[in-house]
Amino acid sequence: MSLVKIATFDDWVDLFREWQREIGYDVKLLGDYRFEAKLGETIPEVEFGDYSGQRKWERLTDIPDQRIQDALLHLITYQGDTEFASVEQQRHLTETAPSDYDLQSLVRINREEMRHGFQMCYLLVNHFGSAGRTEARKLLERRAGKNRLLGAFNLPVEHWLDFFCYTQFMDRDGKYQLTMLSYSAFAPLARSMGPMLKEEFYHLLTGNTGLMRIVKAGKIPIPIIQKYFNKWVPSCYDLFGTDHSSTAQWAYVWGLKGRYDEGSSPQPAPKDRLNEAARGLYRQELEGLTAALNRLIPEGRPKLVLPDERFNRKLGTHAGKPYSVTGEPLGEERYAAYLADVLPSPEDERILREIFKDNDWIVPIEERSQAVAGNGQ
């Protein structure tokens, strides 16, 4: 990437276009789509934390504590990193779309993820001075698979089964993160979330209906689909952060990031268990979606299982501990062999390549028989 100094947001936009070229994204697929920052509405007063009832902050200089400014910079940077990473993970799938409908869905998701990263960099460059400009540049320099900030965004998305699991599970985690940021005391960040969430809902719908179409087609064995659940769901649990997180507690106390149900929960915030509470709500939602998928599987065939929160975790209380997909403790001596058996293998990839040669592995969208009943949201 060129070493052009970022003095204005237009300078950053030039680097954004350079990033598109460097990752090999065919911008012709984007048509006449125009990238722009979008701001919605927000409640004028801080809704929770120590500054509750005060006016939300419009500028960095309104924020009364350097620690809060630093934490806000961190939150925006991490959110932006996930957006660009997802495009890098998915970009090669344009060559193997099972239908024109699926190609257009992928392109829409990619351009909206690009726009979400664009939005975060708009905030960084326009509100955070030289530190923000530096972070905005770094967001375009890191790469998925190498050095993105969160582990899940360095995992490979090899094919369309991966993609539908990704949009079902990873983008659904994104819905939670964006919703929690929509309550932020920093008004420009809170205003950014409404338009982003509206776009994100299509990503969730794509993942949920995609998995329903696959299950209804009946060509990919359920045990193989299960392995991709096992690949993605634990990483999504990790995205909610560590248990008993002081970082999450301070973000709440300072009014930077609320609870997912901040606007509706009558209960006091469990400040020492904020990540666990959000993860629990996420898991409840996944349980309902998995049950809906299982209703499409004929009787007598294996059913899908939502991995236990203790399985194959890289972060938190259960990180590195040997638990099965269903949460039973295992011995250390057999854990590596167990993981090899329940996660995608080269043989599974070979089987999928054969299945993907014919497009009957997924029900065409016009025949999906109300697959949207699962609603994806």
Side-chain angles (χ1 to χ4, degrees):
M1 182 159 288
S2 64
L3 299 177
V4 175
K5 181 180 179 181
I6 299 177
T8 66
F9 188 61
D10 285 341
D11 295 332
W12 180 87
V13 171
D14 290 338
L15 292 179
F16 169 67
R17 295 187 179 120
E18 186 176 333
W19 167 79
Q20 290 176 317
R21 292 192 295 272
E22 285 188 2
I23 68 169
Y25 200 90
D26 183 1
V27 295
K28 294 192 293 294
L29 292 169
L30 303 175
D32 58 359
Y33 183 80
R34 180 171 176 265
F35 288 98
E36 60 181 345
K38 299 179 183 180
L39 297 171
E41 300 297 323
T42 187
I43 294 173
E45 292 81 27
V46 180
E47 300 169 67
F48 58 92
D50 286 357
Y51 300 94
S52 180
Q54 298 185 23
R55 295 285 296 182
K56 288 189 175 180
W57 307 311
E58 296 287 347
R59 298 173 297 277
L60 196 65
T61 52
D62 295 337
I63 300 176
D65 190 311
Q66 182 64 47
R67 295 173 300 168
I68 305 178
Q69 296 180 17
D70 293 343
L72 180 61
L73 176 66
H74 177 89
L75 284 172
I76 296 172
T77 297
Y78 268 70
Q79 186 61 47
D81 198 75
T82 69
E83 311 292 359
F84 294 117
S86 67
V87 179
E88 293 166 357
Q89 289 171 293
Q90 300 167 12
R91 66 190 186 280
H92 64 91
L93 297 178
T94 57
E95 302 168 3
T96 57
S99 69
D100 185 64
Y101 171 86
D102 291 298
L103 174 61
Q104 294 308 314
S105 292
L106 172 64
V107 170
R108 174 176 171 176
I109 289 169
N110 287 170
R111 76 188 183 214
E112 289 174 352
E113 299 290 13
M114 289 185 206
R115 197 202 72 75
H116 297 175
F118 186 102
Q119 183 82 25
M120 294 299 96
C121 288
Y122 171 84
L123 298 179
L124 290 171
V125 171
N126 289 319
H127 290 279
F128 289 86
S130 61
R133 293 191 293 272
T134 297
E135 293 301 333
R137 173 189 285 277
K138 289 180 180 178
L139 291 182
L140 300 177
E141 293 174 340
R142 287 186 285 268
R143 291 292 180 268
K146 296 180 180 179
N147 57 354
R148 284 297 176 183
L149 295 175
L150 298 171
F153 294 92
N154 290 307
L155 293 175
V157 179
E158 302 283 6
H159 42 63
W160 281 78
L161 176 56
D162 257 338
F163 172 72
F164 288 127
C165 288
Y166 189 106
T167 44
Q168 174 82 317
F169 301 126
M170 294 274 282
D171 284 359
R172 199 167 302 278
D173 166 85
K175 179 188 74 167
Y176 278 72
Q177 305 302 330
L178 298 180
T179 300
M180 291 186 282
L181 291 173
S182 73
Y183 298 106
S184 180
F186 186 57
L189 178 59
R191 291 194 190 102
S192 296
M193 294 301 108
M196 290 173 68
L197 279 164
K198 287 179 182 178
E199 292 166 341
E200 197 76 17
F201 285 135
Y202 181 78
H203 310 181
L204 313 184
L205 181 67
T206 298
N208 194 49
T209 57
L211 289 174
M212 295 179 86
R213 291 162 62 203
I214 289 172
V215 169
K216 291 186 72 174
K219 298 296 184 179
I220 299 179
I222 295 299
I224 290 183
I225 299 174
Q226 179 66 56
K227 290 187 178 185
Y228 288 87
F229 276 44
N230 299 346
K231 172 184 176 178
W232 290 107
V233 173
S235 293
C236 293
Y237 291 152
D238 284 346
L239 290 176
F240 284 90
T242 60
D243 302 324
H244 306 290
S245 170
S246 60
T247 300
Q249 181 170 344
W250 281 114
Y252 189 86
V253 168
W254 289 332
L256 298 180
K257 187 176 182 180
R259 294 171 288 172
Y260 178 71
D261 55 354
E262 190 63 46
S264 59
S265 176
Q267 302 300 323
K271 294 178 185 177
D272 63 336
R273 299 187 71 258
L274 289 164
N275 289 344
E276 295 92 319
R279 189 185 300 118
L281 292 173
Y282 172 78
R283 180 177 171 83
Q284 287 177 26
E285 184 171 352
L286 295 192
E287 287 173 344
L289 293 166
T290 304
L293 287 171
N294 281 330
R295 287 193 288 272
L296 300 176
I297 300 173
E299 289 298 324
R301 295 189 183 178
K303 302 295 185 181
L304 292 163
V305 175
L306 186 65
D308 188 87
E309 288 186 33
R310 291 166 289 188
F311 169 69
N312 200 26
R313 294 290 301 281
K314 303 295 191 296
L315 197 68
T317 302
H318 306 297
K321 295 182 180 178
Y323 285 94
S324 72
V325 171
T326 51
E328 291 83 13
L330 302 172
E332 291 280 359
E333 66 282 354
R334 60 179 290 242
Y335 190 52
Y338 176 79
L339 287 180
D341 192 47
V342 299
L343 293 173
S345 68
E347 177 62 13
D348 297 319
E349 294 287 322
R350 186 196 66 76
I351 292 170
L352 287 172
R353 284 194 296 273
E354 290 299 314
I355 292 172
F356 291 151
K357 288 180 179 179
D358 298 312
N359 276 355
D360 61 353
W361 60 270
I362 187 167
V363 174
I365 197 68
E366 65 271 17
E367 299 174 14
R368 71 190 191 275
S369 302
Q370 307 300 315
V372 293
N375 103 28
Q377 297 182 18

